[in-house]
């Protein structure tokens, strides 16, 4: 069994999610906002965030891309598994992703959503991992920045395990 080292407690996460929600509420106060969660990893983060965001009009949708599967390395290509269902034309969009790592997923999603004639597209990530960036992309909103490691918990998985943990842990492969 791999062992887990605590990285972020649920209290530390809640404090930052609060701050981020306040920032988004200020930036989008009068907006017609659609927050799009990237399945499955972002579902816990999105759920916490939306309950703290106060804007004129907020809709939620989900998108799903092929990502890590059961491995811990990105394979270099990204495919769409499930598209958004709402019409985002003319809306302000925020893509909510769990981890920004190589940047391939977020770059793909930004291009995809931008092709739907939204009023604007921004990105919000729970964790910005600086270690393995391959694409020149930065998230507009970042909850936490971490240098390295393979992280699980708070929606993040390894081979579908650990998503339910309330904090973030580093998974040590032995
Ligand atoms: P990117 O396309 O390389 O930026 O990959 C981003 C995706 O890889 C995220 O949406 C995660 O699903 C997955 N990922 C990257 N690093 C981790 C990690 O440390 N733990 C769990 N999933 C990760
Ligand atoms: Mg993901």
């Amino acid at each position: 069994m791999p062992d887990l080292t605590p990285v972020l407690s649920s209290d530390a996460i809640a404090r930052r999610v609060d701050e981020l929600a306040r920032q988004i509420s200020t930036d989008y106060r009068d907006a017609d906002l659609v927050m799009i969660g990237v399945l499955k990893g972002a579902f816990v983060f999105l759920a916490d965030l939306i309950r703290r965001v106060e804007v004129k009009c907020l809709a939620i949708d989900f998108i799903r891309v092929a990502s890590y599967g059961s491995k811990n390395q990105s394979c270099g290509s990204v495919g769409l598994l499930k598209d958004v269902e709402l019409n985002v034309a003319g809306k302000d969009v925020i893509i909510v992703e769990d981890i920004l790592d190589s940047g391939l997923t977020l770059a793909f999603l930004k291009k995809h959503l931008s092709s739907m004639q939204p009023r604007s597209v921004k990105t919000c990530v729970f964790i910005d991992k600086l270690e393995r960036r391959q694409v020149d992309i930065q998230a507009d909103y970042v909850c936490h920045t971490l240098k390295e490691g393979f992280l699980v918990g708070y929606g993040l998985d390894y081979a579908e395990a650990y998503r339910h943990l309330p904090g973030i842990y580093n998974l040590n492969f032995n």
Side-chain angles (χ1 to χ4, degrees):
M1 274 292 281
D3 59 291
L4 303 175
T5 313
V7 176
L8 295 170
S9 68
S10 57
D11 282 354
I13 293 170
R15 278 195 298 275
R16 267 302 291 152
V17 171
D18 247 5
E19 289 171 6
L20 210 55
R22 268 201 296 273
Q23 198 184 334
I24 291 171
S25 303
T26 303
D27 296 351
Y28 290 87
R29 188 157 307 282
D30 299 314
D32 195 352
L33 179 62
V34 185
M35 295 183 79
I36 299 175
V38 185
L39 293 171
K40 300 180 193 172
F43 84 105
V44 177
F45 178 41
L46 182 76
D48 279 351
L49 203 52
I50 57 171
R51 284 176 293 170
R52 293 168 167 91
V53 165
E54 291 177 30
V55 294
K56 193 185 81 190
C57 190
L58 176 61
I60 309 300
D61 205 346
F62 293 94
I63 197 163
R64 183 147 195 219
V65 291
S67 77
Y68 276 29
S70 57
K71 304 184 296 296
N72 64 347
Q73 287 280 313
S74 182
C75 61
S77 69
V78 182
L80 198 64
L81 292 180
K82 181 215 164 302
D83 210 342
V84 286
E85 290 162 33
L86 297 178
N87 180 1
V88 302
K91 307 282 174 78
D92 290 302
V93 167
I94 300 180
I95 303 167
V96 181
E97 169 67 312
D98 56 358
I99 295 197
L100 173 56
D101 187 16
S102 72
L104 291 164
T105 306
L106 210 55
F108 171 88
L109 287 172
K110 205 170 173 187
K111 191 169 168 208
H112 179 69
L113 270 310
S114 297
S115 74
M116 297 177 173
Q117 280 84 50
R119 185 168 172 273
S120 68
V121 181
K122 288 206 172 173
T123 56
C124 172
V125 300
F126 178 59
I127 290 172
D128 186 356
K129 257 167 66 170
L130 306 170
E131 189 189 18
R132 289 193 297 216
R133 197 77 95 249
Q134 292 175 31
V135 181
D136 183 23
I137 185 167
Q138 280 173 2
D140 299 292
Y141 300 97
V142 175
C143 207
H144 296 276
T145 302
L146 296 170
K147 278 208 182 76
E148 56 194 4
F150 192 86
L151 307 161
V152 295
Y154 197 70
L156 306 176
D157 75 311
Y158 175 67
E160 293 302 324
Y162 311 115
R163 288 195 202 275
H164 65 290
L165 300 176
I168 288 284
Y169 295 81
N170 193 49
L171 189 65
N172 306 301
F173 299 91
N174 296 309

